[in-house]
Amino acid sequence: MKKGVIVLAHRADGSSVPIAEWYAEGLRARGHADVHVAFHDGDPNIADVLKEMNVHGMNNTFIVLPLILSEGNLTVWEMPRRMGMPDNSCSYTYLTGTHIAIRFSTAFGSCKAVPKALLQRLEEAGATGNDGILLISHGSKMSMCGKDMEHHMRYLSEHGFPLLTACVLENEGQSLEDGIETLIDRGAERIVLLPVFIFGGRSITEAIPEKVCKMNLSIPVVHAECIGRSQYLLDELEGKIPEGW
């Protein structure tokens, strides 16, 4: 039986490709063989990667590790369907006539790796316990994103950052502007924006700064880095791989 590991990200762009490759290389360096990077949108596409990894005449088992922070429509339905699976359960599919078992892992969710990485980014940005911390997520049509953010905020509060709230860029939830106003009303004299994203992209470089600029705030605003390359997340990914792979 041939076994392989697929690190699966959402979109292939200038910010996501090198970071996804970093996680794959980290797994290879830890002794995991046949580790590939794939994308839901863009190249290398997940369907093409599966075909490349598939070996005729052998039973193949692949574990897919989504580089996604929260469970949602993307990980439950859209990504698995791109691979010919009905959902993200341990389903079976057939490619080029060979039997394949695909183990689709969960998103990071409420694991400790994510808030540990967020805490590291806050410390790198010079944040202090007196700052107002605004956690920013894309938002999700499913409930898990909100629950995960509550978990991350509890962790950060317990580790020296009591003045915080969360906002979303899309879908229902507190807006970035309202989140900043909430922190100011609670006495914040400086705001630290903390993107709860693995990858950067235009949301980080354009959308968020433009929204802040339009507010004409009288207090300073600090932009922390997105999670990006994190040993905490790499450890969590490796923990999802069965022993001996």
Side-chain angles (χ1 to χ4, degrees):
M1 177 180 289
K2 182 177 183 292
K3 301 175 181 178
V5 178
I6 300 173
V7 176
L8 178 59
H10 189 182
R11 295 187 180 91
D13 57 32
S15 65
S16 61
V17 171
I19 292 175
E21 290 286 357
W22 181 87
Y23 282 102
E25 183 55 38
L27 295 175
R28 296 184 195 110
R30 296 183 180 193
H32 300 285
D34 204 20
V35 180
H36 293 245
V37 170
F39 294 91
H40 179 69
D41 292 326
D43 294 319
N45 182 270
I46 181 60
D48 293 336
V49 169
L50 279 171
K51 292 177 182 178
E52 177 185 344
M53 295 175 70
N54 190 30
V55 176
H56 291 279
M58 294 179 62
N59 289 332
N60 302 284
T61 303
F62 303 134
I63 185 164
V64 178
L65 305 175
L67 278 178
I68 305 294
L69 290 177
S70 294
E71 289 292 315
N73 186 58
L74 186 64
T75 54
V76 174
W77 303 109
E78 293 183 17
M79 283 180 161
R81 284 174 178 168
R82 191 64 59 84
M83 294 181 285
M85 301 167 61
D87 53 40
N88 66 347
S89 63
C90 294
S91 302
Y92 294 87
T93 188
Y94 291 84
L95 291 175
T96 62
T98 303
H99 190 204
I100 301 176
I102 298 175
R103 301 180 58 172
F104 196 100
S105 185
T106 58
F108 288 101
S110 295
C111 69
K112 289 186 178 181
V114 176
K116 283 183 177 180
L118 294 173
L119 179 61
Q120 184 176 10
R121 295 296 175 257
L122 283 178
E123 293 171 345
E124 292 169 352
T128 72
N130 296 321
D131 293 328
I133 311 299
L134 181 59
L135 285 77
I136 308 170
S137 70
H138 282 294
S140 172
K141 296 179 181 178
M142 298 182 71
S143 62
M144 295 310 296
C145 180
K147 293 178 181 178
D148 292 342
M149 293 291 279
E150 291 174 4
H151 170 264
H152 304 334
M153 287 193 292
R154 282 195 300 270
Y155 182 94
L156 295 176
S157 178
E158 293 168 356
H159 288 77
F161 295 95
L163 185 55
L164 44 73
T165 190
C167 71
V168 297
L169 297 181
E170 300 175 4
N171 300 308
E172 295 183 3
Q174 180 173 235
S175 68
L176 182 144
E177 294 87 349
D178 288 344
I180 290 176
E181 294 294 344
T182 295
L183 292 171
I184 292 174
D185 290 344
R186 291 171 57 187
E189 297 182 355
R190 187 173 75 155
I191 304 292
V192 179
L193 303 180
L194 179 61
V196 187
F197 306 157
I198 297 178
F199 309 110
R202 295 181 62 183
S203 295
I204 303 295
T205 60
E206 298 180 19
I208 293 173
E210 288 175 1
K211 289 177 180 288
V212 174
C213 184
K214 290 179 180 178
M215 293 184 71
N216 294 314
L217 297 170
S218 59
I219 63 173
V221 176
V222 175
H223 294 259
E225 296 290 334
C226 63
I227 293 173
R229 300 167 176 83
S230 169
Q231 290 292 336
Y232 297 119
L233 267 62
L234 179 59
D235 291 342
E236 185 71 18
L237 282 182
E238 186 180 27
K240 298 174 183 290
I241 302 175
E243 187 176 351
W245 282 35

